[in-house]
Amino acid sequence: MSIQDIAIKPFAGQKPGTSGLRKKVREFQQPGYLEAFVQAIFDSQPALQGGSLVLGGDGRFFNREAAGIILRMAAANGVARCIIGSGALLSTPAASAVIRAHKAQGGIILSASHNPGGPDGDFGVKFNSSNGGPAAEGVTEAIYQATQKISHYRILDWPLPDLDRVGETSLGSMRVSVIDPVHDHAQVLQNLFDFDAMHALLKGGFRIAFDGMHAITGPYARRLLVELLGAPESSLLNCTPLPDFGGGHPDPNPAHAEELTALLNGRDAPDFGAASDGDGDRNMILGRNLAVSPSDSLAILAANAHLVPGYKNGLAGIARSMPTSRAADAVAAKLGLPCYETPTGWKFFGNLLDAGRITLCGEESYGTGSDHVREKDGLWAVLFWLNILAVRKQSVTEIVQQHWRQFGRHYYSRHDYEAVQSDIAADCMANLTKALPGLPGQKIGTLAITAADEFSYTDPVDGSISRNQGLRIICGDQARIIARLSGTGTEGATVRLYFEAYEPDPAGQQDDPQQRLAPLIDFAESLLGLRRQSGRSGPDVIT
Ligand code: VG1
Ligand code: CO
């Protein structure tokens, strides 16, 4: 058994983005590429030496090989114990739960989340800190700095233990605990929700459909929904994890979860539908003929949290990412709760959660979560909805429409222009940036623009400042347009445009969102020139 010190060049890969380092599988497979990034984690996080590291991924192509390399590197870098999900699997929220349950010093999650997998698809590596959450910006920066001066990586030259059998084993002097990937996470969820009430709901004939999109959530959904809540096995769609996700795009939205959406819109539809993404942190909630907007979902969970055992004593506060609609703000105002607006990406919720300032948080990109872990959590949201449905005994549609009547409706849509030529995307964003100072006072139809700026965020807990977090055009409480560049794409640039319009009057709440938002959509194009310059007739994905 020997520790090898292998020479490598400083890392030329780009900085980690919104959620870890995400690249094509082929880039990660280049000799020394994964190793350089992982060595930079060990070099910049000294607490891992002599400490515990959690490891697991979403099962995509290259997951197992990467886990093997990281295990052997962990052993060579002095990690005392590695806790790994059997089969090298862990969903992102489960990894967060495991880090917290075992008081580990950190975790490495192998996932490119909702990006497609397979040999031609994407791979990713995320580092989570000891609170269970995504590395804060300072930690990411330290890892990045370490990649720039790296000269060697350390790896143990020794065969791996059996990672498929749950139990204690070792690799060199490192203890290896192979755990059931579902157990710790299921335990946390069982402490939050009324499983008896949900069991009774399903027993009473309430039908559900859960789409695992051939990604990591299959085993989690089977344990929670079938084994613990008694849903029939037929409620599970695409719940066998596959390395290429069955060729699909594991992004739970009506565009990519077509099969489930068609099921809920068809004859004899189930009462409730849900889907999760590649790594299990996102959720989409469907009723019959209704896709709940993720921004509305956050607001509805907040307004109904008192019905759920884990939140019955009330919420400390709510946070949403800046592009997420202000539906949650309306609920916070009604409940007298603080409401925080953070930049896109879950890492910005971490300090607020750790400081006890918020209990619930969410993003427009189908992410919702709470202080139970430090990641967004797909199955948590599914159970939260089922618990509310079990108590209120109404349909998803009734609950959503009643919410709009009470709080007003925030029409919402996100338009994604994917893999745009980088210089064109930059040019369009520059057009908008230039226009911003002249916008206040102008009108979009009847809406008066009250402010236009580039969003920057000062963390209320540690005072750190994050600039360039998106361009905003604000029409008071009435409407907003937001534009930002994605930090998770792996080809060209992805431009995201977000549109929101508020309608307090119940008589005006039944329109189609695209129609209602059309003046905002046209106005954005007039400033950006994105369709014109990219030669596209419209967005690639509308959610
Ligand atoms: C996207 C979403 C963002 C989310 C991030 C990671 O980032 O917009 O809300 O936090 O993905 O989600 P971007 O920079 O492409 O807009 V996941 O499910 O990849 O961990
Ligand atoms: Co994800």
Side-chain angles (χ1 to χ4, degrees), residues 32-54:
Y33 187 93
L34 169 73
E35 290 86 343
F37 188 66
V38 171
Q39 186 62 49
I41 295 175
F42 290 123
D43 289 349
S44 61
Q45 308 301 314
L48 293 173
Q49 207 175 348
S52 304
L53 174 76
V54 170

Side-chain angles (χ1 to χ4, degrees), residues 20 75 127 135 157 165-166 210 250 257 275 323 434 441 465 481:
F127 178 70
D157 182 19
R165 193 164 353 112
V166 170
F210 178 85
K434 254 185 269 145
I465 299 174
I481 300 170

Side-chain angles (χ1 to χ4, degrees), residues 18 22 113 277 281-282 363 365 376 484 486-488 496:
T18 314
R22 223 172 266 198
S113 188
D277 70 330
D281 55 2
R282 297 186 179 204
E363 297 192 274
S365 53
K376 53 189 184 271
R484 57 178 284 281
S486 156
T488 60
R496 304 203 195 284

Side-chain angles (χ1 to χ4, degrees), residues 459-471:
D459 186 300
V461 180
D462 66 17
S464 59
I465 299 174
S466 307
R467 295 178 215 280
N468 305 325
Q469 298 297 323
L471 307 175

